[in-house]
Amino acid sequence: MRNRLTAFILIGMVAGVLTGYVANLWVGGDDATAKEVAGYFHLLADIFLHLIKMIIAPLVFSTLVAGIAHMGDSAALGRIGGRALAWFIIASLISLTLGLILVNFFQPGAGLNLVRSGVDAGVSTEGLNFRDFVLHIFPTSMIGAMAENSILQIVVFSLFVGVALTAIGEKGKPIVTVIEAMVELMLQVTGYVMRVAPLAVFGALASSITVQGLGVLQTYGELVGEFYIAIFCLWGLLFLAGSLFLGKRMIKLVRYVREPILIAFSTASSEAAYPKMLEQLDRFGVPRRIYSFVLPLGYSFNLDGSMMYATFATIFIAQAYGIDLPMTTQITILLVLMVTSKGIAAVPRASLVVVAATLGQFDLPVEGIAFILAVDHFMDMGRTATNVLGNAIATSVITKWEGMLEVEEPEDVPHPKAPAHTTSDGRRGLELASDMVDDPRKG
């Protein structure tokens, strides 16, 4: 059945938590042994993430170039890009503002009475400045950009190639044909890789619980619980915003993207969900020339969950140290986060880096980062899933604005025993099987 991957992922999540709990009871008293056992559990997730990173660069390059080549109109490209950026900016402001409102309402840090000691938090913010971000966008080597999986640089190079292929017309058709074949090849490879997803989910959760145990959620229960209430409120706003443009199809969109969201939540990696998101948006009716352009941009600029986390964590740390911030200062922090957060695409531990940089800029205790590190992984799961949902909604809404949203494919269809084809507008004609084993594209 079509739902088999979802079921396997859910089974992997439950099995991972139970296995991690048993392992924690068994070896939790010995930190060194617990970390060693957790390392072997996490090997499954590491293998999956390595495979995902293996296919991300060629997948983004081929789908984006093919999409632009079929668009055939640079004006349309600029219009779609402008609409995408407008949506991203508005969504970021809403996410930041909602996080600010809810952290002040819940006051999760009140009463902790932490004392400032000046200890280094261990989070480097050197890579976070506007000049380096702008310079980082433009690649010096396409090979280097693909080797480092630098999505923004790949997007820039792909834009040049796609527009150039459109400009040279008939002479570029052989290259377009090769790139289209590359798209189908990478989607097939993606199908093979996605079969590992349930094992990766199992390994990631088992590893975390083995080291930290279920008690970590109890110790930081208030912070984690209130953060997830905030996340669910943001999901509600995103759903309402999507419904304004998509109507009843918004419910169908959520059903189509549930697998990428589960993958993102379980692995705390947006990259892990990217290939499956391409497939599901295609099935929902988004043409390739739209999602191949908007989705990579969204992965860099439309981080709704990360935005909320940034304001939530910053104000929480101020509360924990008993620092009373006037509302004007909090609004200034929000505006600073709005700018600095756009430069985090290639920064490791991006959300923590943004929070650390913001704390330092406002002379707040950067060492407070260490207090939330214990549960950062669990909050990262929620914010990553939110980023994925936000990008799915953004891409679908922009497609609707362009008047290009097509009829979705049925979720349960018989296996046609026929290869996928590409329609005249460049959208992959996925005719996926209802049996995951028979058709590898299903994951």
Side-chain angles (χ1 to χ4, degrees), residues 104-161:
N104 278 287
F105 175 77
F106 289 127
Q107 297 280 320
L112 291 177
N113 300 319
L114 300 183
V115 179
R116 194 168 187 165
S117 63
V119 176
D120 185 10
V123 178
S124 173
T125 61
E126 292 180 0
L128 190 69
N129 63 75
F130 185 72
R131 180 190 177 279
D132 290 345
F133 167 61
V134 172
L135 191 61
H136 174 78
I137 293 175
F138 302 95
T140 56
S141 166
M142 181 54 185
I143 303 299
M146 296 188 78
E148 296 174 3
N149 272 338
S150 181
I151 298 297
L152 278 177
Q153 294 185 2
I154 295 171
V155 167
V156 169
F157 183 80
S158 301
L159 286 173
F160 277 104
V161 174

Side-chain angles (χ1 to χ4, degrees), residues 386-429:
T386 305
N387 292 342
V388 170
L389 175 63
N391 281 311
I393 294 173
T395 305
S396 301
V397 168
I398 291 164
T399 305
K400 183 72 172 180
W401 279 349
E402 290 291 309
M404 296 173 63
L405 189 61
E406 301 170 1
V407 177
E408 70 270 11
E409 296 179 8
E411 286 195 279
D412 293 297
V413 293
H415 196 303
K417 298 298 182 184
H421 60 276
T422 303
T423 58
S424 59
D425 72 350
R427 177 174 179 255
R428 180 184 179 224

Side-chain angles (χ1 to χ4, degrees), residues 58-74:
L59 187 60
V60 171
F61 172 76
S62 59
T63 54
L64 184 51
V65 172
I68 295 172
H70 281 286
M71 200 171 293
D73 183 5
S74 57

Side-chain angles (χ1 to χ4, degrees), residues 372-387:
I372 59 176
L373 275 178
V375 289
D376 181 68
H377 175 76
F378 297 99
M379 292 192 287
D380 193 17
M381 294 163 68
R383 65 182 182 248
T384 302
T386 305
N387 292 342

Side-chain angles (χ1 to χ4, degrees), residues 134-417:
V134 172
L135 191 61
H136 174 78
I137 293 175
F138 302 95
T140 56
S141 166
M142 181 54 185
I143 303 299
M146 296 188 78
E148 296 174 3
N149 272 338
S150 181
I151 298 297
L152 278 177
Q153 294 185 2
I154 295 171
V155 167
V156 169
F157 183 80
S158 301
L159 286 173
F160 277 104
V161 174
V163 172
L165 284 174
T166 302
I168 62 178
E170 291 293 325
K171 295 179 180 178
K173 280 193 172 182
I175 299 176
V176 174
T177 301
V178 171
I179 290 177
E180 287 176 346
M182 183 180 178
V183 172
E184 297 302 323
L185 173 64
M186 292 314 302
L187 290 172
Q188 187 74 23
V189 173
T190 296
Y192 299 145
V193 171
M194 293 312 299
R195 293 185 177 189
V196 187
L199 293 176
V201 168
F202 166 81
L205 290 176
S207 175
S208 296
I209 301 297
T210 297
V211 175
Q212 302 184 53
L214 294 178
V216 69
L217 296 180
Q218 298 173 0
T219 304
Y220 293 85
E222 184 177 353
L223 171 61
V224 174
E226 291 174 352
F227 174 71
Y228 270 91
I229 291 174
I231 285 291
F232 292 143
C233 290
L234 180 56
W235 279 41
L237 286 179
L238 290 172
F239 186 89
L240 288 175
S243 298
L244 290 176
F245 298 94
L246 301 175
K248 293 181 179 179
R249 289 193 67 178
M250 183 61 210
I251 298 175
K252 295 183 178 179
L253 175 63
V254 173
R255 190 165 67 241
Y256 273 86
V257 300
R258 65 182 181 271
E259 290 175 4
I261 289 174
L262 279 173
I263 292 170
F265 178 80
S266 305
T267 62
S269 169
S270 296
E271 278 187 347
Y274 183 85
K276 194 67 180 178
M277 180 64 78
L278 294 182
E279 177 188 313
Q280 295 303 87
L281 287 177
D282 192 292
R283 293 180 61 86
F284 179 67
V286 179
R288 177 187 295 167
R289 52 180 165 172
I290 300 292
Y291 68 64
S292 63
F293 176 52
V294 175
L295 203 57
L297 285 180
Y299 265 55
S300 296
F301 295 107
N302 191 41
L303 307 173
D304 299 327
S306 297
M307 297 296 93
M308 167 168 281
Y309 174 81
T311 48
F312 204 94
T314 301
I315 305 302
F316 165 77
I317 289 173
Q319 293 171 355
Y321 283 86
I323 300 172
D324 184 25
L325 295 176
M327 187 52 62
T328 53
T329 303
Q330 294 190 35
I331 293 174
T332 304
I333 289 174
L334 183 150
L335 295 176
V336 168
L337 286 169
M338 180 68 193
V339 176
T340 58
S341 61
K342 299 309 175 189
I344 67 177
V347 180
R349 300 168 72 188
S351 297
L352 285 177
V353 170
V354 169
V355 172
T358 304
L359 290 169
Q361 186 169 342
F362 288 86
D363 195 30
L364 296 172
V366 180
E367 67 206 58
I369 290 288
F371 185 78
I372 59 176
L373 275 178
V375 289
D376 181 68
H377 175 76
F378 297 99
M379 292 192 287
D380 193 17
M381 294 163 68
R383 65 182 182 248
T384 302
T386 305
N387 292 342
V388 170
L389 175 63
N391 281 311
I393 294 173
T395 305
S396 301
V397 168
I398 291 164
T399 305
K400 183 72 172 180
W401 279 349
E402 290 291 309
M404 296 173 63
L405 189 61
E406 301 170 1
V407 177
E408 70 270 11
E409 296 179 8
E411 286 195 279
D412 293 297
V413 293
H415 196 303
K417 298 298 182 184

